[in-house]
Amino acid sequence: MNHPRKPPEQRLFDPKTFEDETTWKTLNTHDPGIFKDGENYYSFSTDAMYREEERPPFRAGVQVRRSKDLVDWEWIGHAFDGVPEQAKEWTGAEGLWAPDVIKVNDTYLLYYCASRFGTRQSFIGAASARSPEGPWTDLGEIMKTAEGDDLEVNAIDPNVLFDKEGRLWMVYGSFFGGIYILELDRQTGKPLAGGTGTLLARRDRNVRDGAIEGPYLVYHPQHDYYYLFVSYDSLFSNYNVRVARSRSITGPYTDYLGQPMTDTQHAEPSRIGVKLLGGYRFGTGAGWLAPGHNSVLEDNGVYYMVHHAREERNKSCFHLHVREMSWTKEGWPLVSPERYAGEPPRIISPSEIPGNWEWIIHDPDTDSIVEAIPNSLLADGSLSGPAEGQSWRIANQEIIELRLSYPWHGGETRKLMSCRGSIQPAWDWELERATLVYSGLTENGIAVWGKKISSLEAY
């Protein structure tokens, strides 16, 4: 059987790995942007590292990593030697945040931002190069904001993309006034006009300080939608990824239930946007905390979500995660419960599906790590457990319909939910073996994960 190969070892919390940045691989990756050039994949990420007094001094300039397969990463270095002059003068920042790279004609453009944490004294700049590995020439200011501005927009977290007509856009912003988009000049990479652009999403300032950030826009030609990914809540504890979509790049963006991402008056604040990914734990081992600030890669028709996540055992340690994405028939994205390990696609035999499984519901109201609950799929189409009505069936070769009972919103009451999703091969990073995973959406747009924990060796 064509199982995934065992991926290279990724050492988690180990003080020895902090001493030499060339050994970091996935370690110390925060707010990763993803970019493919030829046969190489590149991750550009925020200047961040685990800090202790005896560790090497902090270095700034945008971290750059390279991979041939999205699994094994090597350290390339820094795009800059410190913070570019204009960004430093405006913000006083010690490092750069949330870089994003795009290729325009024969030129690579790297967009970066600098800011004073928790303020709107912020700066978005750009640099150009003939190679994604540099050298980079700073082009200076794209836009900047200041404390005391009449508008509450914040010039951080740039993501640059082409729309389906070939026009160039930048989506940006966080907290405060929300997420905005403005058009760029294809020749200069700078805004075509003044102003802040068009508002795409925001949150009520009275709800977790209006925490919404890390915007990333993707156009899917088959479904003919633009997808806006954002991160909610605290990047140290309950960070999570949400998505909404629109037929137009400038919105409006609505979620599974049709709620606009700009609505701060009517909908329940924690339930706007489809929550695709939050903190989770499979089995009895350590889980992953505060996953978020994602980018998305389309590679020959296959989509991947790239994000950072923190170790549950030490939230000061954060890593690069790559997850393969799938899409529902209705055109909503889903992400794999397990990190990508190079697993090849294959047809899943119905005989492989029954067995012991663990399930995670990404409840949008949950502020903590979601623990998996065991519930086996039985060969007769039922699920183990006392609840009546639980069942599963193969709707077609790829789609699995599931009725699953689950404790809802942290209470004792169990709710029966209907869900449609798919089962795919994956590598079990917790148990270190091949497995199957399930990813689906319920009838009200709640993401459901499943992972088979009984061995596949019998098949």
Side-chain angles (χ1 to χ4, degrees), residues 55-272:
R55 299 297 166 218
F58 178 78
R59 290 187 60 190
V62 174
Q63 298 179 9
V64 186
R65 293 167 174 82
R66 180 178 63 200
S67 175
K68 292 288 187 183
D69 57 9
L70 293 173
V71 180
D72 194 16
W73 292 88
E74 61 176 323
W75 177 264
I76 295 298
H78 299 269
F80 307 106
D81 183 14
V83 178
E85 183 178 357
Q86 285 186 343
K88 183 75 171 180
E89 289 178 353
W90 184 254
T91 66
E94 295 184 356
L96 298 174
W97 297 349
D100 190 46
V101 170
I102 191 170
K103 188 176 183 181
V104 181
N105 298 321
D106 294 328
T107 301
Y108 299 86
L109 295 177
L110 187 159
Y111 289 76
Y112 61 85
C113 63
S115 183
R116 295 179 192 169
F117 191 84
T119 77
R120 288 184 291 117
Q121 193 70 30
S122 305
F123 181 101
I124 293 175
S128 65
R130 290 295 181 179
S131 164
E133 297 185 24
W136 295 93
T137 300
D138 187 39
L139 302 177
E141 177 188 334
I142 298 298
M143 69 178 304
K144 60 188 179 185
T145 54
E147 283 292 284
D149 285 351
D150 291 337
L151 295 173
E152 292 189 326
V153 65
N154 192 14
I156 69 169
D157 295 352
N159 163 234
V160 180
L161 74 156
F162 292 105
D163 68 13
K164 62 182 179 180
E165 283 84 28
R167 297 159 67 187
L168 189 62
W169 300 81
M170 181 177 76
V171 58
Y172 71 98
S174 78
F175 283 74
F176 311 115
I179 307 300
Y180 289 77
I181 190 170
L182 52 79
E183 189 172 0
L184 303 180
D185 188 319
R186 284 193 56 141
Q187 300 304 313
T188 66
K190 296 189 175 185
L192 275 175
T196 60
T198 302
L199 176 69
L200 300 185
R202 66 162 32 131
R203 294 187 75 192
D204 188 335
R205 288 289 299 274
N206 296 318
V207 179
R208 302 186 183 93
D209 297 321
I212 180 173
E213 63 179 12
Y216 203 90
L217 268 177
V218 175
Y219 175 69
H220 195 296
Q222 179 181 347
H223 298 298
D224 193 27
Y225 276 106
Y226 293 92
Y227 294 85
L228 174 64
F229 297 84
V230 293
S231 291
Y232 274 19
D233 303 333
S234 169
L235 60 87
F236 299 106
S237 59
N238 56 352
Y239 221 33
N240 62 92
V241 175
R242 309 269 175 141
V243 69
R245 68 185 186 182
S246 174
R247 294 292 187 188
S248 167
I249 195 168
T250 56
Y253 285 85
T254 55
D255 64 15
Y256 191 87
L257 299 179
Q259 301 171 126
M261 293 294 282
T262 53
D263 184 359
T264 61
Q265 301 296 321
H266 303 97
E268 182 69 27
S270 66
R271 300 181 192 177
I272 296 179

Side-chain angles (χ1 to χ4, degrees), residues 166-450:
R167 297 159 67 187
L168 189 62
W169 300 81
M170 181 177 76
V171 58
Y172 71 98
S174 78
F175 283 74
F176 311 115
I179 307 300
Y180 289 77
I181 190 170
L182 52 79
E183 189 172 0
L184 303 180
D185 188 319
R186 284 193 56 141
Q187 300 304 313
T188 66
K190 296 189 175 185
L192 275 175
T196 60
T198 302
L199 176 69
L200 300 185
R202 66 162 32 131
R203 294 187 75 192
D204 188 335
R205 288 289 299 274
N206 296 318
V207 179
R208 302 186 183 93
D209 297 321
I212 180 173
E213 63 179 12
Y216 203 90
L217 268 177
V218 175
Y219 175 69
H220 195 296
Q222 179 181 347
H223 298 298
D224 193 27
Y225 276 106
Y226 293 92
Y227 294 85
L228 174 64
F229 297 84
V230 293
S231 291
Y232 274 19
D233 303 333
S234 169
L235 60 87
F236 299 106
S237 59
N238 56 352
Y239 221 33
N240 62 92
V241 175
R242 309 269 175 141
V243 69
R245 68 185 186 182
S246 174
R247 294 292 187 188
S248 167
I249 195 168
T250 56
Y253 285 85
T254 55
D255 64 15
Y256 191 87
L257 299 179
Q259 301 171 126
M261 293 294 282
T262 53
D263 184 359
T264 61
Q265 301 296 321
H266 303 97
E268 182 69 27
S270 66
R271 300 181 192 177
I272 296 179
V274 178
K275 182 180 178 181
L276 295 178
L277 172 66
Y280 69 93
R281 183 191 307 116
F282 280 114
T284 58
W288 289 101
L289 181 73
H293 202 123
N294 74 285
S295 54
V296 174
L297 171 70
E298 184 274 322
D299 187 16
N300 295 319
V302 181
Y303 289 77
Y304 301 89
M305 177 181 286
V306 181
H307 64 91
H308 72 253
R310 296 173 183 269
E311 297 179 25
E312 183 186 13
R313 290 173 178 165
N314 187 329
K315 68 179 182 181
S316 296
C317 294
F318 38 87
H319 293 262
L320 173 71
H321 283 195
V322 179
R323 298 175 191 273
E324 188 169 351
M325 299 173 65
S326 57
W327 300 82
T328 70
K329 182 180 178 181
E330 296 74 27
W332 286 100
L334 301 167
V335 294
S336 174
E338 286 287 359
R339 289 168 281 159
Y340 180 66
E343 54 267 20
R346 66 176 179 86
I347 301 298
I348 305 300
S349 169
S351 62
E352 297 178 73
I353 298 174
N356 299 325
W357 286 70
E358 290 183 334
W359 301 93
I360 286 174
I361 308 295
H362 285 293
D363 181 349
D365 291 331
T366 297
D367 280 338
S368 58
I369 284 180
V370 176
E371 297 187 22
I373 289 183
N375 202 330
S376 299
L377 300 183
L378 305 180
D380 63 2
S382 64
L383 276 74
S384 63
E388 295 182 1
Q390 294 190 121
S391 63
W392 69 275
R393 74 181 186 94
I394 301 174
N396 58 44
Q397 195 173 59
E398 298 178 350
I399 302 300
I400 306 296
E401 291 184 351
L402 181 73
R403 287 177 61 81
L404 179 68
S405 176
Y406 199 86
W408 195 236
H409 303 320
E412 295 299 322
T413 302
R414 300 184 72 89
K415 180 181 177 67
L416 195 65
M417 295 178 295
S418 297
C419 183
R420 287 175 63 90
S422 60
I423 290 181
Q424 304 292 339
W427 180 259
D428 190 327
W429 290 81
E430 290 79 20
L431 298 177
E432 296 188 336
R433 63 189 186 192
T435 191
L436 301 177
V437 292
Y438 174 92
S439 188
L441 282 180
T442 69
E443 68 270 26
N444 55 347
I446 308 298
V448 175
W449 279 0

